[in-house]
Amino acid sequence: MEEIREIFCRFSVQRPEPKGELEHVNPFTLVVAVALSAQATDAGVNKATRALFAVADTPQKMLDLGEERVRDLIKTIGLYRNKAKNVIALSRRLVDEFGGEVPRSREELVTLPGVGRKTANVVLSMAFGEPTLAVDTHVFRIGNRLRIAPGNTPDEVEQAFLRIIPEDYLFHAHHWLILHGRYCCKARKPECERCVIADLCRSLEKTCDIPAPLVELPAQIA
């Protein structure tokens, strides 16, 4: 497990205070932004939500805006029609069942339309300060590519990471992994030559000559 601690130690030195890149002003706009980010880039979501959140930063304001106007404001985002329906539906649920407030439990969050476990984990971490691990496409790829948290589903990768990430690194872990996957360990061609953990990496896709460590990983993460 010393190698795993070293990996996250290096991430912490590289980005001491990592931040999510989705723009939001409160827990509600964070829920909406993360829900909209499915199959879309953060940059693309931010471009659309700046105008949306300027006029609707609460569930009631979103309902007052209406589905058609929401659809028009987010039409540059993939699957915007269905996402607009979900935004209105989740706003209605928040107003009718939660007093207009975003719930603070995963169990309640995932009952909102368009909100799955990943979105719930992001909200719990970024809005309420809970140490959760949101598994998006980047985290899923890194877990399997580096062979440190393998799994066939996001839930399997999440549980694998939770078993190995040192507790004192858990709060920032999902941001470190997401940002590492987005800007360095990219899907098509990882930029291993500038990777801070290249010498610890066991990926078969490495693009530089830095060898993997000779010491064996523990059986549960090998």
Side-chain angles (χ1 to χ4, degrees):
M1 296 298 285
E2 290 183 5
E3 285 185 2
I4 301 300
R5 172 168 285 278
E6 178 63 20
I7 286 172
F8 285 96
C9 177
R10 293 187 192 181
F11 285 157
S12 72
V13 172
Q14 182 185 39
R15 294 186 175 95
E17 294 292 333
K19 302 294 182 183
E21 297 183 327
L22 285 173
E23 297 174 5
H24 61 283
V25 296
N26 56 33
F28 170 67
T29 55
L30 177 61
V31 172
V32 172
V34 180
L36 293 177
S37 70
Q39 300 183 48
T41 65
D42 286 2
V45 171
N46 290 338
K47 184 177 180 180
T49 56
R50 286 171 193 143
L52 177 64
F53 296 157
V55 294
D57 59 358
T58 70
Q60 187 59 59
K61 289 180 182 178
M62 195 69 73
L63 291 175
D64 294 341
L65 196 61
E67 183 179 329
E68 183 177 353
R69 183 61 177 143
V70 171
R71 187 171 62 242
D72 288 343
L73 288 169
I74 68 169
K75 63 184 178 182
T76 57
I77 301 175
L79 307 175
Y80 71 95
R81 295 181 185 276
N82 189 57
K83 289 178 179 179
K85 290 181 180 180
N86 283 336
V87 168
I88 292 298
L90 76 84
S91 298
R92 172 60 64 191
R93 180 77 64 84
L94 289 173
V95 169
D96 291 347
E97 299 186 22
F98 297 101
E101 299 294 327
V102 174
R104 290 173 172 257
S105 75
R106 182 183 293 107
E107 292 73 21
E108 291 175 317
L109 282 167
V110 297
T111 68
L112 300 175
V115 176
R117 186 178 180 88
K118 186 206 81 171
T119 298
N121 280 341
V122 172
V123 173
L124 289 172
S125 174
M126 294 180 64
F128 303 126
E130 294 193 20
T132 61
L133 186 78
V135 178
D136 71 348
T137 181
H138 300 299
V139 179
F140 184 84
R141 179 175 68 255
I142 289 174
N144 282 286
R145 176 181 277 171
L146 273 61
R147 297 187 290 168
I148 57 174
N152 294 317
T153 67
D155 285 353
E156 289 180 3
V157 170
E158 177 184 344
Q159 293 307 312
F161 266 125
L162 290 177
R163 286 194 294 270
I164 65 171
I165 296 174
E167 185 175 355
D168 50 329
Y169 289 124
L170 182 57
F171 181 71
H172 288 313
H174 77 284
H175 278 139
W176 284 325
L177 292 166
I178 289 169
L179 294 171
H180 185 64
R182 181 173 294 161
Y183 296 113
C184 184
C185 197
K186 299 176 181 179
R188 293 186 179 181
K189 186 179 180 181
E191 299 182 5
C192 303
E193 68 280 358
R194 64 185 190 86
C195 176
V196 297
I197 60 169
D199 59 315
L200 301 175
C201 178
R202 293 178 173 274
S203 172
L204 301 178
E205 302 174 56
K206 286 173 68 173
T207 59
C208 63
D209 295 328
I210 300 175
L214 297 178
V215 61
E216 288 299 318
L217 290 173
Q220 67 267 30
I221 60 172

